[in-house]
Amino acid sequence: MPEKAKIAVFISGKGTNMAALLYASRLPGSPYEIVLVASNNPAAEGLALARSEGVETFALAHRGMTREDHDAAMEAAAKKAGAQVIALAGYMRILSPGFVRRWSGRMLNIHPSLLPKYPGLDTHARAIAAGDSHAGATVHLVTEELDSGETLGQIAVAIHANETPDSLAERVGIAEHQLYPRVLADFVSRESDPQWLLQRVTELALALPETHERTSHGSPGFRVGSEKTGKFFAYFADQHHGTPHISLLVKCDSMDELEGLVEAQPHAYHKPAYYGASGWIGIILNRQGVDWDNVADWLQRSWRQVAPSRLTRLLDAADAF
């Protein structure tokens, strides 16, 4: 079974969503574990619950601190605990842009509305006032714009006649406790899902000029140039020749570079069967913490090795802007 993803949960109060995540993490087959519960409120009830369950906690009041300094302290605690993903669960703080950027694609939040409807506060009252038939909850990635990141999952909750914000909030809370653990599990598992990994690679590869897909020996491949004369610059290999790796194969500048990377970073690179002898390196994708910016850079490097010079000049001109 793959190593479980390590999650830090940030809370400010009772921690009911944190508790849902924690207890779900202890069910058989869960792909994640909670390694830290942290709060900006040392009196938060959720901290006591976490401690009673043997989970490490961290608390630091934000009063008297700059937003950046407080975020840095929370982040340091998460890193010390080994967290790979942060789950915000009733964390009532606006995060600093730098903190959000550093955890881009690795920080989730749950919001009590069917986003993009009703970002911010008073979501239940706003849904009732608008005459909506349903309210609900959304789990999304955190971005610098409030409640605007990619939606990872939603659940709808019917609005009853004579509904009040409190009565609606109670049922939405129950729904949240079902939604968040499921979405978090799916999110951390997708890093070992061949279809999701292929989708990411395809998006990056086809973003380069004049590229197209073509299968080669049963594996998805990516070429630059025309359908007739194009050349391969990348392959997607799913456990190629019996390896445990799902990997992106790209061209190295030299065999010395290939051998050096594989020796220095065996968790990230491997020498693929057959292709490795020709200077192709395997970037291992089915692991935690893949740097997708680095993957994009490798694709561009490999593309440049086989692309016609007119295309490389075109890309250089675009990069200059």
Side-chain angles (χ1 to χ4, degrees), residues 168-189:
L168 181 56
E170 184 175 354
R171 294 200 313 285
V172 170
I174 295 171
E176 288 180 358
H177 301 162
Q178 316 308 307
L179 178 68
Y180 210 173
R182 173 69 64 86
V183 171
L184 180 59
D186 289 345
F187 177 78
V188 300
S189 298

PDB file of all heavy atoms in Angstrom, residues 168-189:
ATOM      1  N   LEU A 168     -30.533  25.480   8.947  1.00  0.00           N
ATOM      2  CA  LEU A 168     -29.830  25.083   7.721  1.00  0.00           C
ATOM      3  C   LEU A 168     -28.368  24.767   8.012  1.00  0.00           C
ATOM      4  O   LEU A 168     -27.816  23.778   7.505  1.00  0.00           O
ATOM      5  CB  LEU A 168     -29.942  26.195   6.685  1.00  0.00           C
ATOM      6  CG  LEU A 168     -29.280  25.945   5.330  1.00  0.00           C
ATOM      7  CD1 LEU A 168     -29.804  24.672   4.682  1.00  0.00           C
ATOM      8  CD2 LEU A 168     -29.499  27.146   4.413  1.00  0.00           C
ATOM      9  N   ALA A 169     -27.735  25.580   8.839  1.00  0.00           N
ATOM     10  CA  ALA A 169     -26.331  25.355   9.188  1.00  0.00           C
ATOM     11  C   ALA A 169     -26.126  23.992   9.836  1.00  0.00           C
ATOM     12  O   ALA A 169     -25.106  23.330   9.603  1.00  0.00           O
ATOM     13  CB  ALA A 169     -25.838  26.451  10.122  1.00  0.00           C
ATOM     14  N   GLU A 170     -27.077  23.555  10.637  1.00  0.00           N
ATOM     15  CA  GLU A 170     -26.942  22.256  11.307  1.00  0.00           C
ATOM     16  C   GLU A 170     -26.875  21.123  10.289  1.00  0.00           C
ATOM     17  O   GLU A 170     -26.037  20.224  10.404  1.00  0.00           O
ATOM     18  CB  GLU A 170     -28.119  22.043  12.261  1.00  0.00           C
ATOM     19  CG  GLU A 170     -27.996  20.760  13.070  1.00  0.00           C
ATOM     20  CD  GLU A 170     -29.114  20.627  14.103  1.00  0.00           C
ATOM     21  OE1 GLU A 170     -29.914  21.569  14.258  1.00  0.00           O
ATOM     22  OE2 GLU A 170     -29.179  19.559  14.744  1.00  0.00           O
ATOM     23  N   ARG A 171     -27.768  21.164   9.278  1.00  0.00           N
ATOM     24  CA  ARG A 171     -27.766  20.085   8.283  1.00  0.00           C
ATOM     25  C   ARG A 171     -26.578  20.195   7.332  1.00  0.00           C
ATOM     26  O   ARG A 171     -26.007  19.176   6.920  1.00  0.00           O
ATOM     27  CB  ARG A 171     -29.072  20.081   7.491  1.00  0.00           C
ATOM     28  CG  ARG A 171     -30.283  19.729   8.338  1.00  0.00           C
ATOM     29  CD  ARG A 171     -31.461  19.255   7.496  1.00  0.00           C
ATOM     30  NE  ARG A 171     -31.721  20.107   6.351  1.00  0.00           N
ATOM     31  CZ  ARG A 171     -32.297  21.316   6.417  1.00  0.00           C
ATOM     32  NH1 ARG A 171     -32.672  21.806   7.602  1.00  0.00           N
ATOM     33  NH2 ARG A 171     -32.519  22.019   5.327  1.00  0.00           N
ATOM     34  N   VAL A 172     -26.207  21.421   6.986  1.00  0.00           N
ATOM     35  CA  VAL A 172     -25.032  21.584   6.135  1.00  0.00           C
ATOM     36  C   VAL A 172     -23.787  21.057   6.852  1.00  0.00           C
ATOM     37  O   VAL A 172     -22.911  20.436   6.230  1.00  0.00           O
ATOM     38  CB  VAL A 172     -24.850  23.059   5.714  1.00  0.00           C
ATOM     39  CG1 VAL A 172     -23.491  23.271   5.039  1.00  0.00           C
ATOM     40  CG2 VAL A 172     -25.971  23.480   4.761  1.00  0.00           C
ATOM     41  N   GLY A 173     -23.728  21.265   8.168  1.00  0.00           N
ATOM     42  CA  GLY A 173     -22.592  20.746   8.926  1.00  0.00           C
ATOM     43  C   GLY A 173     -22.489  19.232   8.837  1.00  0.00           C
ATOM     44  O   GLY A 173     -21.386  18.683   8.690  1.00  0.00           O
ATOM     45  N   ILE A 174     -23.628  18.554   8.917  1.00  0.00           N
ATOM     46  CA  ILE A 174     -23.623  17.089   8.775  1.00  0.00           C
ATOM     47  C   ILE A 174     -23.104  16.695   7.401  1.00  0.00           C
ATOM     48  O   ILE A 174     -22.288  15.772   7.260  1.00  0.00           O
ATOM     49  CB  ILE A 174     -25.042  16.524   9.005  1.00  0.00           C
ATOM     50  CG1 ILE A 174     -25.484  16.769  10.447  1.00  0.00           C
ATOM     51  CG2 ILE A 174     -25.089  15.035   8.677  1.00  0.00           C
ATOM     52  CD1 ILE A 174     -26.945  16.449  10.705  1.00  0.00           C
ATOM     53  N   ALA A 175     -23.574  17.417   6.378  1.00  0.00           N
ATOM     54  CA  ALA A 175     -23.128  17.124   5.014  1.00  0.00           C
ATOM     55  C   ALA A 175     -21.625  17.369   4.850  1.00  0.00           C
ATOM     56  O   ALA A 175     -20.924  16.607   4.177  1.00  0.00           O
ATOM     57  CB  ALA A 175     -23.917  17.977   4.022  1.00  0.00           C
ATOM     58  N   GLU A 176     -21.124  18.435   5.468  1.00  0.00           N
ATOM     59  CA  GLU A 176     -19.694  18.737   5.388  1.00  0.00           C
ATOM     60  C   GLU A 176     -18.853  17.587   5.917  1.00  0.00           C
ATOM     61  O   GLU A 176     -17.797  17.254   5.364  1.00  0.00           O
ATOM     62  CB  GLU A 176     -19.378  20.002   6.191  1.00  0.00           C
ATOM     63  CG  GLU A 176     -19.861  21.285   5.565  1.00  0.00           C
ATOM     64  CD  GLU A 176     -19.520  22.500   6.414  1.00  0.00           C
ATOM     65  OE1 GLU A 176     -18.935  22.311   7.507  1.00  0.00           O
ATOM     66  OE2 GLU A 176     -19.833  23.624   6.004  1.00  0.00           O
ATOM     67  N   HIS A 177     -19.326  16.973   6.996  1.00  0.00           N
ATOM     68  CA  HIS A 177     -18.558  15.899   7.620  1.00  0.00           C
ATOM     69  C   HIS A 177     -18.490  14.649   6.761  1.00  0.00           C
ATOM     70  O   HIS A 177     -17.592  13.818   6.933  1.00  0.00           O
ATOM     71  CB  HIS A 177     -19.147  15.561   8.996  1.00  0.00           C
ATOM     72  CG  HIS A 177     -19.166  16.727   9.930  1.00  0.00           C
ATOM     73  ND1 HIS A 177     -19.957  16.754  11.058  1.00  0.00           N
ATOM     74  CD2 HIS A 177     -18.499  17.904   9.902  1.00  0.00           C
ATOM     75  CE1 HIS A 177     -19.772  17.908  11.684  1.00  0.00           C
ATOM     76  NE2 HIS A 177     -18.891  18.624  10.992  1.00  0.00           N
ATOM     77  N   GLN A 178     -19.442  14.504   5.837  1.00  0.00           N
ATOM     78  CA  GLN A 178     -19.371  13.409   4.881  1.00  0.00           C
ATOM     79  C   GLN A 178     -18.479  13.779   3.693  1.00  0.00           C
ATOM     80  O   GLN A 178     -17.737  12.942   3.164  1.00  0.00           O
ATOM     81  CB  GLN A 178     -20.778  13.048   4.354  1.00  0.00           C
ATOM     82  CG  GLN A 178     -21.874  12.962   5.392  1.00  0.00           C
ATOM     83  CD  GLN A 178     -21.513  12.069   6.544  1.00  0.00           C
ATOM     84  OE1 GLN A 178     -21.127  10.920   6.357  1.00  0.00           O
ATOM     85  NE2 GLN A 178     -21.624  12.586   7.758  1.00  0.00           N
ATOM     86  N   LEU A 179     -18.584  15.042   3.284  1.00  0.00           N
ATOM     87  CA  LEU A 179     -17.901  15.487   2.069  1.00  0.00           C
ATOM     88  C   LEU A 179     -16.397  15.611   2.232  1.00  0.00           C
ATOM     89  O   LEU A 179     -15.625  15.111   1.387  1.00  0.00           O
ATOM     90  CB  LEU A 179     -18.474  16.843   1.638  1.00  0.00           C
ATOM     91  CG  LEU A 179     -17.848  17.502   0.408  1.00  0.00           C
ATOM     92  CD1 LEU A 179     -18.165  16.709  -0.848  1.00  0.00           C
ATOM     93  CD2 LEU A 179     -18.323  18.956   0.272  1.00  0.00           C
ATOM     94  N   TYR A 180     -15.958  16.280   3.284  1.00  0.00           N
ATOM     95  CA  TYR A 180     -14.538  16.638   3.385  1.00  0.00           C
ATOM     96  C   TYR A 180     -13.621  15.407   3.421  1.00  0.00           C
ATOM     97  O   TYR A 180     -12.634  15.351   2.667  1.00  0.00           O
ATOM     98  CB  TYR A 180     -14.320  17.525   4.604  1.00  0.00           C
ATOM     99  CG  TYR A 180     -13.184  18.523   4.477  1.00  0.00           C
ATOM    100  CD1 TYR A 180     -12.979  19.487   5.474  1.00  0.00           C
ATOM    101  CD2 TYR A 180     -12.308  18.527   3.391  1.00  0.00           C
ATOM    102  CE1 TYR A 180     -11.954  20.434   5.371  1.00  0.00           C
ATOM    103  CE2 TYR A 180     -11.283  19.469   3.284  1.00  0.00           C
ATOM    104  CZ  TYR A 180     -11.108  20.407   4.276  1.00  0.00           C
ATOM    105  OH  TYR A 180     -10.092  21.336   4.181  1.00  0.00           O
ATOM    106  N   PRO A 181     -13.897  14.391   4.253  1.00  0.00           N
ATOM    107  CA  PRO A 181     -13.009  13.232   4.244  1.00  0.00           C
ATOM    108  C   PRO A 181     -12.938  12.538   2.885  1.00  0.00           C
ATOM    109  O   PRO A 181     -11.864  12.103   2.461  1.00  0.00           O
ATOM    110  CB  PRO A 181     -13.621  12.305   5.312  1.00  0.00           C
ATOM    111  CG  PRO A 181     -14.372  13.224   6.213  1.00  0.00           C
ATOM    112  CD  PRO A 181     -14.927  14.278   5.324  1.00  0.00           C
ATOM    113  N   ARG A 182     -14.099  12.442   2.203  1.00  0.00           N
ATOM    114  CA  ARG A 182     -14.106  11.780   0.891  1.00  0.00           C
ATOM    115  C   ARG A 182     -13.273  12.570  -0.116  1.00  0.00           C
ATOM    116  O   ARG A 182     -12.467  11.995  -0.851  1.00  0.00           O
ATOM    117  CB  ARG A 182     -15.547  11.653   0.395  1.00  0.00           C
ATOM    118  CG  ARG A 182     -15.674  11.128  -1.039  1.00  0.00           C
ATOM    119  CD  ARG A 182     -15.271   9.682  -1.159  1.00  0.00           C
ATOM    120  NE  ARG A 182     -16.169   8.842  -0.401  1.00  0.00           N
ATOM    121  CZ  ARG A 182     -17.337   8.367  -0.880  1.00  0.00           C
ATOM    122  NH1 ARG A 182     -17.718   8.667  -2.098  1.00  0.00           N
ATOM    123  NH2 ARG A 182     -18.092   7.587  -0.126  1.00  0.00           N
ATOM    124  N   VAL A 183     -13.448  13.879  -0.148  1.00  0.00           N
ATOM    125  CA  VAL A 183     -12.722  14.692  -1.121  1.00  0.00           C
ATOM    126  C   VAL A 183     -11.228  14.698  -0.813  1.00  0.00           C
ATOM    127  O   VAL A 183     -10.392  14.599  -1.724  1.00  0.00           O
ATOM    128  CB  VAL A 183     -13.284  16.130  -1.154  1.00  0.00           C
ATOM    129  CG1 VAL A 183     -12.403  17.037  -2.007  1.00  0.00           C
ATOM    130  CG2 VAL A 183     -14.703  16.129  -1.696  1.00  0.00           C
ATOM    131  N   LEU A 184     -10.876  14.811   0.457  1.00  0.00           N
ATOM    132  CA  LEU A 184      -9.453  14.802   0.818  1.00  0.00           C
ATOM    133  C   LEU A 184      -8.813  13.470   0.424  1.00  0.00           C
ATOM    134  O   LEU A 184      -7.695  13.441  -0.108  1.00  0.00           O
ATOM    135  CB  LEU A 184      -9.284  15.054   2.309  1.00  0.00           C
ATOM    136  CG  LEU A 184      -7.835  15.060   2.828  1.00  0.00           C
ATOM    137  CD1 LEU A 184      -6.992  16.121   2.119  1.00  0.00           C
ATOM    138  CD2 LEU A 184      -7.808  15.273   4.345  1.00  0.00           C
ATOM    139  N   ALA A 185      -9.504  12.370   0.672  1.00  0.00           N
ATOM    140  CA  ALA A 185      -8.971  11.058   0.295  1.00  0.00           C
ATOM    141  C   ALA A 185      -8.774  10.961  -1.211  1.00  0.00           C
ATOM    142  O   ALA A 185      -7.741  10.470  -1.692  1.00  0.00           O
ATOM    143  CB  ALA A 185      -9.908   9.957   0.783  1.00  0.00           C
ATOM    144  N   ASP A 186      -9.753  11.430  -1.969  1.00  0.00           N
ATOM    145  CA  ASP A 186      -9.625  11.405  -3.425  1.00  0.00           C
ATOM    146  C   ASP A 186      -8.484  12.298  -3.891  1.00  0.00           C
ATOM    147  O   ASP A 186      -7.751  11.967  -4.828  1.00  0.00           O
ATOM    148  CB  ASP A 186     -10.928  11.852  -4.089  1.00  0.00           C
ATOM    149  CG  ASP A 186     -12.047  10.829  -3.943  1.00  0.00           C
ATOM    150  OD1 ASP A 186     -11.758   9.675  -3.582  1.00  0.00           O
ATOM    151  OD2 ASP A 186     -13.212  11.197  -4.197  1.00  0.00           O
ATOM    152  N   PHE A 187      -8.352  13.448  -3.238  1.00  0.00           N
ATOM    153  CA  PHE A 187      -7.321  14.414  -3.636  1.00  0.00           C
ATOM    154  C   PHE A 187      -5.923  13.837  -3.445  1.00  0.00           C
ATOM    155  O   PHE A 187      -5.084  13.917  -4.347  1.00  0.00           O
ATOM    156  CB  PHE A 187      -7.474  15.700  -2.830  1.00  0.00           C
ATOM    157  CG  PHE A 187      -6.422  16.735  -3.098  1.00  0.00           C
ATOM    158  CD1 PHE A 187      -6.487  17.519  -4.232  1.00  0.00           C
ATOM    159  CD2 PHE A 187      -5.368  16.921  -2.215  1.00  0.00           C
ATOM    160  CE1 PHE A 187      -5.515  18.481  -4.499  1.00  0.00           C
ATOM    161  CE2 PHE A 187      -4.398  17.880  -2.469  1.00  0.00           C
ATOM    162  CZ  PHE A 187      -4.471  18.657  -3.608  1.00  0.00           C
ATOM    163  N   VAL A 188      -5.646  13.262  -2.280  1.00  0.00           N
ATOM    164  CA  VAL A 188      -4.294  12.746  -2.042  1.00  0.00           C
ATOM    165  C   VAL A 188      -4.039  11.464  -2.826  1.00  0.00           C
ATOM    166  O   VAL A 188      -2.885  11.114  -3.075  1.00  0.00           O
ATOM    167  CB  VAL A 188      -4.021  12.523  -0.535  1.00  0.00           C
ATOM    168  CG1 VAL A 188      -4.161  13.825   0.237  1.00  0.00           C
ATOM    169  CG2 VAL A 188      -4.929  11.442   0.046  1.00  0.00           C
ATOM    170  N   SER A 189      -5.102  10.769  -3.227  1.00  0.00           N
ATOM    171  CA  SER A 189      -4.940   9.522  -3.981  1.00  0.00           C
ATOM    172  C   SER A 189      -4.672   9.768  -5.449  1.00  0.00           C
ATOM    173  O   SER A 189      -4.146   8.893  -6.147  1.00  0.00           O
ATOM    174  CB  SER A 189      -6.193   8.646  -3.842  1.00  0.00           C
ATOM    175  OG  SER A 189      -6.411   8.276  -2.513  1.00  0.00           O
TER     176      SER A 189
END
